[in-house]
Amino acid sequence: MADCPWAPTHQLVHISLRSPAVATDELPPNNLVFLLDVSGSMASANKLPLLKRAFALLVAKLRPQDQISIVAYAGAAGTVLPPTSGSQKARVIASLSQLEAGGSTAGGDGIRRAYALTRESFMEAGNNRVVLATDGDFNVGVSSEGELTDLIEQERDAGVYLTVLGFGTGNLQVEFNPVHVKDYRLLGYENRRLRDEEFNDDTRDAGAGPSTAFRFAAAVAEFGMLLRNSPYQGDAAYELVYQRAREALGEDEDGRRSELLSLVRTAGGLSAAHHSDKEGIDESPSDVR
């Protein structure tokens, strides 16, 4: 938590989540069947496109002893990639890249097909697992909670496990102690509005010490407020965003932080040009032709 740079009377709270690192040298071989939701609701940028990028990172970590398959489902389910060695990374990525979102959600058929494929390629001493990636509920075919629970438990007892990855917003809800916090906004997710009393209701979701990561995240939030002309932007300015982001650049291994600097510089230039043009326009009646 730290003082807000562009509104000193406010405080910023930065919450980061990261899973623990796992040593992979001595892990058993993996038999992974990815069950991917490609229904129409997965079309937005933070769903299927994000899933593809995340999947590519996983593929880069596969070992020759690992095995991967892909089942996709929308209105119907089908095998996209049969069991394939982790050494054939290009083939795996190519199979994934062809997927497009569209149709309804036949999840019941998909999960049965994924389990069947896992059993066909079962590794006695391996990690046999179905990995389901979806943004919501099944709405076509068998979808009762009881039937699905029974199926998952039966497969678990047979040595095939299930991991579920949720895509989309609304997966992290934070509640502040009202004794210490009078009011707050979640920067970067200002399009979701809940009534005050709903923040204590876990069935409703709200969704989207100062380190380098904290300071860079603050600069990103400030940039977003400027782009949206937020009424809470206070003393925010493009040149200050650029300065704060550059000072918090850190190692920037993949160059994405430097890319933000370029975006800030471009946005600042466009904003200055816009204001300059507006100041140069005289709309008095005598000038109307």
Side-chain angles (χ1 to χ4, degrees), residues 161-238:
Y161 298 91
L162 175 69
T163 294
V164 180
L165 306 177
F167 283 79
T169 56
N171 299 320
L172 173 61
Q173 180 167 315
V174 178
E175 180 180 343
F176 291 97
N177 187 337
V179 174
H180 303 290
V181 179
K182 178 182 178 181
D183 193 16
Y184 74 92
R185 291 176 303 109
L186 184 56
L187 300 181
Y189 200 71
E190 297 172 5
N191 59 324
R192 172 62 63 90
R193 301 297 187 204
L194 295 183
R195 296 189 302 273
D196 290 345
E197 62 271 19
E198 291 178 324
F199 280 98
N200 291 323
D201 183 356
D202 287 337
T203 65
R204 301 298 302 271
D205 65 271
S211 62
T212 297
F214 187 115
R215 290 185 286 120
F216 191 84
V220 172
E222 184 179 2
F223 184 36
M225 297 179 84
L226 283 167
L227 291 175
R228 299 181 60 176
N229 194 27
S230 169
Y232 303 101
Q233 64 185 277
D235 298 328
Y238 287 108

Side-chain angles (χ1 to χ4, degrees), residues 262-281:
S262 178
L263 290 174
V264 173
R265 182 178 292 158
T266 300
L270 291 173
S271 176
H274 175 70
H275 287 298
S276 177
D277 288 343
K278 289 183 65 176
E279 292 172 359
I281 295 175

